[in-house]
Amino acid sequence: MKSLYLFLAAVVLLVLGVLGYNSYKSYKEKKLKEISYKLYLYEKGEISYEEALNYAKGSPFYPYLQALKGNYEEVEKNVQDKELKSFYAERVGAKLYEENKLSEAEKKVVSVSKEFFNYPSALSLQALIYEKEGKKDKALGIWATIKKDYPNTYFGRLAEIKLKELKSE
């Protein structure tokens, strides 16, 4: 008889656990839909950026909202996915390049690992930084690597053009 009560208690606990999990999952889904709707209202211009940011804090939408405003540094700090972190590190590097903060930009782009999808783009930016700094030999080396490693791609073709351009100077 005791084993029957233990079995029934285990079944009840299991059912309560499943119900609790499903309730929590529904709650999270509902909250994400609410946040999504608030972002829609922001994009339509019906609520302010600050209001939308307040709703999005702590959610997966927060980096998206930050990126809309060009706050790439904030996105890079908050995003968890390594690929996205790599992408935003490059975006920060590009922004620093545009601001002529070349050594800071270089630090960002060299942090992009070869395993990530944006590596050829980050390498291209690194070569552009070297060109702007007057380090022609380093730039030529990077462009040659891109041409060899990424043939028949946008970056490979860009590298081909840049190599011809730099060699003719």
Side-chain angles (χ1 to χ4, degrees):
M1 192 69 166
K2 183 179 178 182
S3 58
L4 178 64
Y5 288 133
L6 286 174
F7 175 74
L8 288 175
V11 169
V12 168
L13 285 175
L14 181 65
V15 168
L16 288 175
V18 169
L19 287 173
Y21 172 77
N22 285 337
S23 295
Y24 178 73
K25 191 174 172 184
S26 293
Y27 166 79
K28 291 291 279 182
E29 192 174 297
K30 182 181 174 195
K31 289 301 277 180
L32 287 174
K33 283 180 182 180
E34 288 172 11
I35 295 168
S36 177
Y37 180 70
K38 296 296 183 182
L39 292 180
Y40 167 74
L41 292 177
Y42 165 70
E43 289 174 342
K44 279 181 61 178
E46 294 183 16
I47 65 172
S48 71
Y49 174 73
E50 289 73 25
E51 285 178 274
L53 193 62
N54 193 31
Y55 284 111
K57 267 206 169 77
S59 80
F61 296 108
Y62 186 76
Y64 165 75
L65 193 56
Q66 289 288 333
L68 283 178
K69 281 290 191 180
N71 298 332
Y72 303 122
E73 296 92 344
E74 190 69 23
V75 176
E76 183 191 6
K77 279 190 274 182
N78 289 298
V79 75
Q80 299 301 312
D81 182 80
K82 289 179 182 178
E83 292 268 339
L84 283 176
K85 192 173 276 296
S86 167
F87 172 74
Y88 283 108
E90 181 191 353
R91 285 299 307 132
V92 171
K95 189 175 178 184
L96 292 166
Y97 173 81
E98 289 170 358
E99 295 168 356
N100 214 32
K101 298 176 181 175
L102 302 179
S103 63
E104 292 174 57
E106 183 183 354
K107 286 176 189 167
K108 282 293 176 186
V109 296
V110 297
S111 74
V112 176
S113 175
K114 194 172 189 165
E115 70 191 83
F116 298 124
F117 73 95
N118 63 321
Y119 183 69
S121 177
L123 265 183
S124 299
L125 182 54
Q126 186 180 5
L128 292 171
I129 291 167
Y130 287 147
E131 283 181 46
K132 207 169 191 180
E133 290 176 330
K135 299 175 182 175
K136 186 178 175 181
D137 289 340
K138 281 187 169 188
L140 283 167
I142 291 174
W143 289 125
T145 299
I146 295 170
K147 180 183 175 190
K148 181 177 82 56
D149 292 349
Y150 302 95
N152 301 317
T153 66
Y154 167 79
F155 296 104
R157 291 184 182 109
L158 174 64
E160 230 176 286
I161 293 166
K162 294 300 288 181
L163 283 167
K164 287 177 186 172
E165 183 183 289
L166 287 172
K167 286 178 181 176
S168 69
E169 288 180 355

